[in-house]
């Protein structure tokens, strides 16, 4: 692991979110589709960093990217555009019971509030001691302190009872996907300071 991405100084100007899940599809003579997935799902991002001067932004950013040694190291990133959940939950949510690899419905408890919009479809969550990030795929509106949450992809690691669920500021463990990282000079300020631009592609590390 090689640190946390320096979001504080390197805000994004654009970001694209990808879901990668390799699937083999074939069709029978009758036209029936046969599908098989051959590896686990992972999220990926393409982000363009805001234009700035080396003294303000790009010195720290360049150093961080070089520390990754191309695609070798892993680091964590909390994408600012999706750091806040769509739901309005504020409690310390816990896994309720033991869940096995492959489960997509996860019992949780210790929810706070009246249950209106606890989690919403499209929220990202992460379980304690897990690297994988999951997405909530159905709104959770239970009025009790317990609810069943539907996620994708299926669990890649078993869950223990009372594991803490992170739903705001969810950190993704990622790596760069390209061996060449380029910091482009795209102009200069009126005082002659060079302005840089940088785009990176990262993929979740499983």
């Amino acid at each position: 692991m090689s640190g946390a991405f320096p979001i504080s100084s390197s805000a994004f100007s654009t970001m694209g979110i990808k879901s990668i899940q390799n699937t083999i599809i074939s069709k029978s003579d009758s036209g029936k589709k046969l599908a098989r997935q051959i590896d686990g799902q992972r999220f990926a991002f393409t982000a363009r960093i805001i234009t700035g001067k080396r003294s303000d932004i790009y010195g720290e950013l360049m150093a961080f990217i070089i520390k990754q040694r191309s695609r070798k190291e892993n680091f964590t990133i909390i994408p600012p555009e999706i750091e806040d959940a769509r739901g309005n939950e504020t409690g310390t949510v816990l896994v309720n019971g033991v869940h096995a690899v492959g489960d997509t419905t996860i019992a949780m408890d210790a929810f706070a509030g009246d249950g209106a919009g606890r989690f919403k479809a499209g929220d990202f969550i992460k379980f304690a001691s897990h690297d994988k990030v999951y997405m909530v795929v159905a709104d959770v509106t239970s009025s009790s302190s317990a609810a069943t949450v539907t996620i994708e992809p299926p669990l890649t690691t078993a869950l223990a009872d009372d594991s803490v669920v992170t739903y705001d500021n969810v950190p993704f463990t990622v790596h760069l996907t390209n061996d060449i990282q380029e910091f482009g000079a795209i102009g200069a300020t009126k005082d002659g300071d060079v302005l840089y631009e940088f785009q990176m592609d990262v993929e979740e590390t499983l």
Side-chain angles (χ1 to χ4, degrees), residues 5 18 60 97 105 180 202:
F5 186 80
K18 306 172 187 175
E60 180 185 8
T105 52
I180 299 174
V202 300

Side-chain angles (χ1 to χ4, degrees), residues 84-124:
D84 295 325
R86 296 178 61 234
N88 57 19
E89 178 59 39
T90 59
T92 301
V93 179
L94 304 173
V95 172
N96 186 6
V98 175
H99 294 270
V101 172
D103 285 355
T104 57
T105 52
I106 312 299
M108 300 183 190
D109 57 15
F111 284 101
D114 61 5
R118 296 190 183 287
F119 294 158
K120 291 190 175 183
D123 285 346
F124 291 98

Side-chain angles (χ1 to χ4, degrees), residues 72-90:
K72 181 177 184 294
E73 300 292 338
N74 302 326
F75 59 96
T76 59
I77 186 168
I78 302 174
E81 286 74 8
I82 58 175
E83 63 183 344
D84 295 325
R86 296 178 61 234
N88 57 19
E89 178 59 39
T90 59

Side-chain angles (χ1 to χ4, degrees), residues 9 50-62 187-197:
S9 62
I50 60 174
T51 301
K53 298 184 293 185
R54 184 165 176 256
S55 59
D56 293 340
I57 298 170
Y58 279 85
E60 180 185 8
L61 179 59
M62 289 175 180
T189 67
K190 60 181 179 61
D191 297 320
D193 295 310
V194 176
L195 294 174
Y196 292 91
E197 182 180 76

